[in-house]
Amino acid sequence: MQPFTTLTGVAAPLPVANVDTDKIIPARFLKTLTRTGLGRALFDGLRYDETGAERPEFVLNRDPFRKAEILIALDNFGCGSSREHAPWALADFGIRCVIAPSFADIFYNNCFKNGLLPVTLPREVCEQLMQDTELGSNARVTVDLKRQVVVRANGEEIPFQVDEGRRKALLNGLDEIAETLTRDTGITRFETGRAAREPWRPAISLES
Amino acid sequence: MSPADVRRAGQTLFDKIWSAHVVETLASDAALLYIDRHLVHEVTSPQAFDGLRVNGRRVRRPDATLAVPDHNVPTANRDQAITDPESRLQVATLVQNVADFGVPFIPLNDVRQGIVHVIGPEQGASLPGMTIVCGDSHTSTHGALGALAFGIGTSEVEHVLATQTLIQSKARSMRVRVEGQLGAGVTAKDMALYIIGRIGTGGGTGYVIEYAGEAVRSLSMAGRMTLCNMSIESGARAGLVAPDDTTFDYIRGRPMAPKGDDFDAAVAYWRTLVSDDGAVFDHEVVLDAADIAPMITWGTSPEAVIPVTGLIPDPAELTDPAIRANQARMLDYMDLAPGPILGAAVDVVFIGSCTNARIEDIRAAAAIAKDRRVADGVRALVVPGSGLVKLQAEAEGLDRILTDAGFEWREPGCSMCLGMNEDKLTPGQRCVSTSNRNFEGRQGPGGRTHLASPAMAAAAAVAGRIVDCREFG
């Protein structure tokens, strides 16, 4: 997995609460077999009109936000479906960090598996950061996962919290499955112990 | 009492299931959690199987894994190949993956095929006390059996395929008690929508919700599944109902359930799966079932919900500018104005989805449809949750009642809940739907979704507008 250490880039404001994963990427784009190439479909309904033309008022269709690497939104970002296509689409577009007052659980989890950092900050701080974006291309924000701070354009540092295990995994770009496979003996011990205690547990079988 | 007994005296149902599945406590606040059942479908699994291939990994426990195509499949003309080339390829890829990795699979032409969250319980694959995951947020449905069931992303699907475990931090616990009895014409769907309206779409975030109280205990298994299904719409990681005789009666005799002495041994264990007296929840909500009416959503978030006889709120009365702007946008998208919702003209009615496509739901729709006609200009679809639900409905003659009334009777799948197949709304169409999400464009670009119960949806179909199903008794 791609590690995340420090990122300095343009931050785009999306002052909307409950941005759901259908909004981030509608279901009709989920017929893909790969993790890549979904950036074109990011925010499809907000970004394009019925003819497929860009809606000029949408933030990611405006300079300098076309090149945004950070997105700032309001509460409950990523609610709805478990589709990992949502972080895939964000990452494919070039967004590596989403800042919001709160995130939906599954989306939050999915971000960490894809080198994308979700940062939870109080709503008033998010609103302040959105105001900063009015400085245009000068409104560059730094997100430093090592030091766990967001640095505003004026140099002010805002600390944020993130689970230590997830922080380490993201900083090092760890392959979580390889890590878990080193615990194989423990998993086998769990399985055999339980099979002995609870022999009634059935297996999946389609023979009737 | 031993120290272990003292500790157990205050355990919630969630605590008990959690601790029975911890393989190892990890350095941070996370645990390596063992997964008993992994349900797989065609949309969120191809990248996971690819990951296994690239890394030379196998599926650790095919005998704990069950795959079925549902999201993408057509609900008509099943004797022909899937028309949409991308959908066809995605289903074909699942067929190839389950063959390559030896995963039990229910193919499209099998009578047991259906929506993954309908067939898990139906086949007896989902059982009390289990940990159950699937690359789909509505996995919370299986919590109705007293299982810890939650949706995961594709990377986690790959992790479970390879290791049969997940790295999880423990959620907080919430109990939602619904006391008293639901009124006539009020269902589990209305209860679910009412709860979301009360706690909000983010109200359950970070929690596992246990549903309790007299009104919940009185629900059938189908009703409990509807209730737990929509837990995710409040942001909760999972929803649970403690297993009881209703649960055991439901499970007994299902194809993959334990049999004979094994069943008795299982029930003896399952009876311990209740929250202890004195168990402490991080948050508790107490509601009165008598306050719940048939509900319907008016906006593009499940929390934007009112009793059908209620009023769509006026954004002008809100003080928070962000919320006001959001509500105004929802009204604009839905083409509605503040005031009564009764009477809004309807173009489409969808009865289906993992929320409401079980036999009880079809019966509720047929009870309204009997000796009535779908209103002129309304398209009404009934999509059973599985091939077995469809067969049962046909054995009861429900298909005839529905088709005589002008409803379309389709093959099982996710269908218009998310519009990945041909069943979708066209821009501007207004739909009363028994599904779970009313997000912008969810049922098709520009489509307008009103979430409601099967009875409310069927009543809207025959009236051609939003009506109170209690008038169709």
Side-chain angles (χ1 to χ4, degrees):
Chain A
M1 185 188 72
Q2 188 183 5
F4 185 107
T5 50
T6 294
L7 168 70
T8 299
V10 170
L14 187 65
V16 181
N18 299 322
V19 173
D20 57 73
T21 52
D22 279 83
K23 209 171 258 167
I24 298 172
I25 183 164
R28 63 186 182 281
F29 297 107
L30 310 189
K31 298 183 185 186
T32 174
L33 303 176
T34 66
R35 289 175 157 95
T36 52
L38 295 171
R40 168 71 179 68
L42 178 70
F43 293 122
D44 182 87
L46 299 172
R47 232 165 117 199
Y48 310 106
D49 66 18
E50 298 72 24
T51 69
E54 285 188 356
R55 296 181 195 271
E57 71 278 14
F58 184 62
V59 61
L60 297 182
N61 291 334
R62 303 198 320 253
D63 287 324
F65 305 116
R66 286 178 184 280
K67 297 250 186 307
E69 292 175 90
I70 298 161
L71 188 69
I72 311 164
L74 293 178
D75 295 85
N76 201 26
F77 188 90
C79 61
S81 140
S82 67
R83 62 190 67 164
E84 201 160 316
H85 308 70
W88 294 341
L90 286 162
D92 195 64
F93 178 87
I95 288 170
R96 301 281 318 283
C97 173
V98 182
I99 302 174
S102 60
F103 291 89
D105 200 49
I106 307 176
F107 175 83
Y108 188 80
N109 258 323
N110 284 342
C111 285
F112 286 96
K113 318 286 182 192
N114 293 283
L116 206 153
L117 175 66
V119 173
T120 309
L121 288 173
R123 182 166 162 187
E124 56 275 18
V125 176
C126 292
E127 284 169 345
Q128 179 66 66
L129 289 169
M130 284 196 237
Q131 278 182 22
D132 287 356
T133 64
E134 287 169 14
L135 301 171
S137 57
N138 293 323
R140 295 170 77 78
V141 174
T142 295
V143 181
D144 186 336
L145 180 58
K146 269 195 178 142
R147 296 171 50 230
Q148 288 181 239
V149 288
V150 171
V151 188
R152 286 176 62 191
N154 67 5
E156 187 199 342
E157 298 198 342
I158 304 159
F160 65 87
Q161 297 297 314
V162 60
D163 169 74
E164 191 48 31
R166 284 176 160 144
R167 179 171 164 269
K168 267 191 195 147
L170 207 48
L171 283 174
N172 299 310
L174 288 183
D175 175 353
E176 209 172 61
I177 296 176
E179 292 285 301
T180 299
L181 286 171
T182 65
R183 303 176 196 280
D184 189 63
T185 318
I187 300 171
T188 304
R189 196 183 311 123
F190 178 94
E191 285 174 330
T192 48
R194 208 174 54 165
R197 278 195 315 277
E198 297 168 5
W200 52 264
R201 283 184 180 275
I204 294 281
S205 164
L206 290 164
E207 313 301 320
S208 43
Chain B
M1 276 199 285
S2 73
D5 288 334
V6 172
R7 202 166 54 242
R8 202 167 294 131
Q11 281 192 313
T12 64
L13 167 58
F14 170 46
D15 289 333
K16 291 178 185 182
I17 302 176
W18 177 270
S19 58
H21 290 86
V22 174
V23 173
E24 202 175 320
T25 303
L26 303 177
S28 51
D29 70 340
L32 190 63
L33 200 69
Y34 193 77
I35 302 302
D36 294 316
R37 286 287 182 262
H38 187 190
L39 307 169
V40 174
H41 64 87
E42 76 278 20
V43 174
T44 57
S45 67
Q47 298 86 350
F49 282 111
D50 250 8
L52 295 183
R53 247 182 225 109
V54 167
N55 292 289
R57 290 168 181 152
R58 68 196 171 98
V59 174
R60 184 187 171 90
R61 293 296 299 268
D63 61 343
T65 313
L66 178 61
V68 67
D70 61 359
H71 278 61
N72 229 323
V73 303
T75 58
N77 305 321
R78 281 282 178 82
D79 50 334
Q80 296 159 28
I82 300 175
T83 324
D84 180 281
E86 286 179 308
S87 298
R88 189 169 65 235
L89 181 59
Q90 211 168 41
V91 172
T93 302
L94 182 63
V95 171
Q96 186 63 52
N97 283 332
V98 298
D100 289 354
F101 289 91
V103 171
F105 177 60
I106 300 178
L108 191 53
N109 60 3
D110 191 304
V111 71
R112 297 168 293 184
Q113 183 269 341
I115 305 171
V116 66
H117 307 309
V118 173
I119 67 171
E122 188 173 78
Q123 290 298 320
S126 309
L127 296 171
M130 283 183 163
T131 47
I132 303 173
V133 297
C134 173
D136 187 280
S137 59
H138 292 109
T139 309
S140 58
T141 312
H142 309 259
L145 292 138
L148 177 61
F150 53 94
I152 55 177
T154 298
S155 295
E156 290 181 316
V157 169
E158 186 178 339
H159 195 279
V160 177
L161 288 172
T163 71
Q164 205 55 38
T165 65
L166 271 181
I167 298 167
Q168 286 281 301
S169 52
K170 193 176 176 188
R172 290 172 289 172
S173 61
M174 183 190 304
R175 179 160 59 188
V176 176
R177 272 170 38 211
V178 189
E179 299 297 353
Q181 287 294 337
L182 293 174
V186 184
T187 67
K189 179 62 164 288
D190 304 300
M191 192 192 287
L193 288 169
Y194 180 80
I195 292 168
I196 296 160
R198 287 290 293 262
I199 70 175
T201 53
T205 303
Y207 289 97
V208 164
I209 297 177
E210 180 178 343
Y211 299 100
E214 187 191 355
V216 173
R217 292 253 73 83
S218 303
L219 292 176
S220 67
M221 287 311 295
R224 294 178 190 187
M225 287 184 223
T226 300
L227 180 62
C228 288
N229 171 277
M230 292 205 59
S231 302
I232 185 69
E233 309 318 329
S234 69
R237 190 172 297 179
L240 285 166
V241 176
D244 57 14
D245 285 328
T246 303
T247 322
F248 310 142
D249 290 344
Y250 173 89
I251 294 168
R252 188 181 289 110
R254 298 213 168 250
M256 295 187 208
K259 305 280 187 308
D261 291 347
D262 282 346
F263 183 78
D264 297 337
V267 169
Y269 168 61
W270 293 339
R271 285 198 190 280
T272 70
L273 298 176
V274 290
S275 288
D276 299 324
D277 293 341
V280 178
F281 290 82
D282 296 308
H283 188 60
E284 187 138 27
V285 177
V286 182
L287 303 169
D288 185 347
D291 293 339
I292 308 176
M295 305 292 286
I296 189 157
T297 63
W298 57 267
T300 55
S301 166
E303 71 182 10
V305 66
I306 51 174
V308 68
T309 51
L311 299 178
I312 299 168
D314 188 346
E317 290 169 14
L318 294 165
T319 49
D320 185 310
I323 298 173
R324 188 168 60 225
N326 192 35
Q327 295 225 355
R329 181 184 163 87
M330 290 201 287
L331 285 178
D332 182 51
Y333 181 87
M334 294 297 291
D335 191 27
L336 290 169
I341 197 165
L342 278 172
V346 166
D347 305 298
V348 179
V349 163
F350 172 63
I351 296 168
S353 88
C354 57
T355 312
N356 281 121
R358 283 165 283 269
I359 187 67
E360 292 84 346
D361 302 313
I362 312 283
R363 286 179 190 142
I368 301 267
K370 191 169 168 53
D371 303 325
R372 295 193 174 96
R373 288 286 309 166
V374 171
D376 286 346
V378 174
R379 180 185 180 204
L381 288 87
V382 183
V383 182
S386 72
L388 291 174
V389 169
K390 182 167 185 265
L391 269 188
Q392 175 69 28
E394 288 169 356
E396 295 179 19
L398 305 179
D399 60 319
R400 285 294 304 276
I401 293 173
L402 289 161
T403 52
D404 284 353
F407 288 81
E408 297 175 34
W409 181 243
R410 310 297 288 260
E411 302 291 336
C414 298
S415 181
M416 202 184 270
C417 173
L418 80 170
M420 278 194 79
N421 70 351
E422 294 76 9
D423 310 333
K424 41 180 150 247
L425 300 180
T426 56
Q429 280 189 323
R430 185 178 304 286
C431 175
V432 177
S433 176
T434 66
S435 55
N436 40 58
R437 292 199 172 122
N438 52 358
F439 300 155
E440 283 183 28
R442 168 81 178 181
Q443 296 190 287
R448 299 174 175 134
T449 303
H450 296 272
L451 303 175
S453 72
M456 283 284 289
V462 300
R465 55 197 165 82
I466 292 174
V467 289
D468 187 338
C469 64
R470 290 172 297 192
E471 292 167 14
F472 290 74

